[in-house]
Amino acid sequence: MNKALKLFTRMMIIIFSVLALLALVVFAYMQHPKFGAKPTGKRLERMQASPHYKDGVFDNRSFTPTITEGYSMTKVMFDFLFRKGPNTVPGGIIPSVQTDLNKLQGDWLVWFGHSSYYLQTDGLRILVDPVFSGNASPVPGTTKSFKGTDRYAAADMPPIDYLLISHDHYDHLDFETILQLKGKVKKVVCGLGVGAHLELWGFAPENIIELDWDTDIALPNGGRIYGLTTRHFSGRGFKRNNTLWISYLLQTPTRKIFIGGDSGYDRHFREIGALHGPIDLAILENGQYNEAWKAIHFLPGENLQAAIELKAKRLMPVHSGKFSLALHSWDEPLREMVRRNQQVGLPLVTPRIGEPVNLSDTTQVFTEWWKDVAKAAQ
């Protein structure tokens, strides 16, 4: 009996030692600057003054569970790690076009995959949620970009007047990319609290503009950037919602562009449309969804409904085509949008990576490029 007790005691000591060592390694790794900084001082005071900040965190305007009732985080993680289908990653290479952004004249948009894109309009150069490191996770090599999607790098970007960050998740705010862009960016616009990360990474506080929902800033060309509601969450470490997730309306002298960031469907799209519509181009997410987290990402068809409520003249789907962050096949979001849009009839903007979108030409036609990828993989 004593031998069995001693053996059990030794085993427990070994297990707890391994767990303690693992916890120490995780703690040490999370001191890396890529995890960002905790808001403090005047920044924290501004956050605390926001009507959307309660009990130490930001909150959505509607009840927004991260996991849908009837599902569990354990099951979601198990399915994601062990039950992902074979088509979540394309079998072929994602097509792209090499465009020299420094030589573009006029008003253009260039998509880089997922939710990263460049806007050039009314004399301003704007970059949104750039992720050029090839990874959408703090752990290297765990959420790799699809083959062919890393055509562009920070070095390809022209001088940027405004860098817009929708929220601080790794597939939207990329540490390596931001460091490489630092010398090219004049101003950064982000949600409340996100500036703490950027300041840690070397951006001057006077060049960081943090917006709350329902606030705005003036642009030098006579336009405005409005910070607007979205339905999502935030966080780069274990604590969630300690910075604000946000969408934007870019209003220039010639057009209105809605920059949706990540969002589940809710009434705010109708409210934004009533206040700011009609909108020339709505850029809305269309991928990485699941019934298990339907409150924080559109399910198929909901983005079309949101575009209608925004009074959008054209819809550009993003948040797909570069990373697999859900269980659906990689091309399902695009296939489903085209299929469902047959009943809606919204003009869709679906460029290849790097293909210039003429913001002044509402008749521009785009190919269903994802079909060619599927054919090539067969």
Side-chain angles (χ1 to χ4, degrees):
M1 189 70 176
N2 287 338
K3 288 183 179 180
L5 181 61
K6 287 180 180 180
L7 181 60
F8 176 77
T9 302
R10 288 174 183 172
M11 289 179 61
M12 294 304 296
I13 290 173
I14 291 172
I15 291 172
F16 281 116
S17 298
V18 170
L19 290 175
L21 180 60
L22 181 61
L24 183 62
V25 169
V26 171
F27 175 80
Y29 183 63
M30 291 193 68
Q31 305 314 301
H32 192 286
K34 72 171 67 177
F35 290 95
K38 182 180 178 181
T40 58
K42 295 291 184 181
R43 176 172 286 113
L44 180 58
E45 290 177 13
R46 279 200 65 204
M47 293 165 54
Q48 292 170 335
S50 169
H52 316 297
Y53 191 81
K54 303 168 187 175
D55 300 321
V57 294
F58 286 102
D59 197 10
N60 286 289
R61 281 185 153 136
S62 297
F63 172 64
T64 304
T66 305
I67 299 297
T68 307
E69 185 178 357
Y71 292 84
S72 69
M73 182 60 76
T74 302
K75 184 179 186 306
V76 166
M77 292 304 298
F78 181 85
D79 289 347
F80 186 79
L81 292 173
F82 302 109
R83 290 184 177 173
K84 292 183 75 170
N87 202 35
T88 54
V89 175
I93 297 174
I94 301 295
S96 63
V97 176
Q98 189 66 52
T99 297
D100 189 339
L101 303 179
N102 289 281
K103 293 182 179 179
L104 280 179
Q105 300 293 322
D107 296 348
W108 298 92
L109 181 152
V110 178
W111 178 60
F112 307 120
H114 201 63
S115 293
S116 305
Y117 45 94
Y118 169 77
L119 284 164
Q120 181 173 298
T121 181
D122 294 89
L124 291 178
R125 290 172 165 177
I126 296 169
L127 185 61
V128 180
D129 288 356
V131 178
F132 300 137
S133 68
N135 194 46
S137 163
V139 181
T142 55
T143 310
K144 295 187 290 186
S145 54
F146 301 156
K147 292 179 180 178
T149 61
D150 292 325
R151 187 74 177 263
Y152 289 83
D156 297 313
M157 299 301 109
I160 300 298
D161 296 300
Y162 292 92
L163 170 63
L164 270 57
I165 302 297
S166 65
H167 61 298
D168 67 3
H169 286 160
Y170 296 96
D171 58 323
H172 294 260
L173 180 59
D174 183 53
F175 171 70
E176 289 81 5
T177 300
I178 295 299
L179 288 187
Q180 293 166 10
L181 284 169
K182 196 161 44 178
K184 294 190 172 190
V185 173
K186 293 180 183 178
K187 298 286 183 181
V188 184
V189 182
C190 55
L192 292 174
V194 177
H197 306 320
L198 298 161
E199 198 170 332
L200 174 68
W201 301 341
F203 281 77
E206 61 269 22
N207 294 331
I208 302 171
I209 303 168
E210 295 181 63
L211 296 180
D212 198 351
W213 298 336
D214 306 320
T215 63
D216 61 274
I217 58 169
L219 297 174
N221 62 4
R224 305 194 79 81
I225 294 176
Y226 295 86
L228 299 172
T229 306
T230 187
R231 190 186 188 199
H232 199 54
F233 69 107
S234 68
R236 293 180 74 84
F238 293 121
K239 184 176 182 181
R240 289 187 167 187
N241 299 347
N242 58 336
T243 62
L244 185 66
W245 48 103
I246 195 166
S247 63
Y248 301 100
L249 180 78
L250 171 64
Q251 181 173 334
T252 72
T254 62
R255 58 182 47 89
K256 294 179 182 179
I257 300 175
F258 181 74
I259 298 168
D262 281 4
S263 183
Y265 178 75
D266 206 0
R267 66 177 186 271
H268 63 275
F269 293 105
R270 185 177 297 276
E271 294 168 353
I272 292 170
L275 185 63
H276 294 286
I279 290 169
D280 296 287
L281 175 65
I283 305 172
L284 298 173
E285 65 150 90
N286 79 318
Q288 322 319 317
Y289 51 76
N290 192 286
E291 281 284 349
W293 55 84
K294 65 180 182 180
I296 55 175
H297 285 295
F298 288 135
L299 293 177
E302 290 181 332
N303 37 22
L304 288 167
Q305 182 61 35
I308 292 170
E309 294 178 359
L310 287 168
K311 300 179 184 178
K313 298 176 183 177
R314 290 199 290 173
L315 169 61
M316 177 174 169
V318 296
H319 212 242
S320 64
K322 187 167 185 174
F323 299 111
S324 176
L325 303 173
L327 303 177
H328 58 67
S329 62
W330 76 271
D331 58 344
E332 181 184 286
L334 291 161
R335 287 189 286 105
E336 275 295 297
M337 171 159 281
V338 170
R339 185 181 71 81
R340 292 168 183 265
N341 191 49
Q342 291 175 359
Q343 304 300 319
V344 179
L346 267 174
L348 297 181
V349 177
T350 56
R352 293 167 292 170
I353 288 175
E355 179 181 359
V357 176
N358 190 337
L359 294 174
S360 300
D361 182 6
T362 58
T363 65
Q364 186 179 2
V365 177
F366 303 91
T367 63
E368 296 181 6
W369 54 265
W370 51 93
K371 291 184 176 179
D372 296 330
V373 177
K375 290 177 182 176
Q378 291 176 353

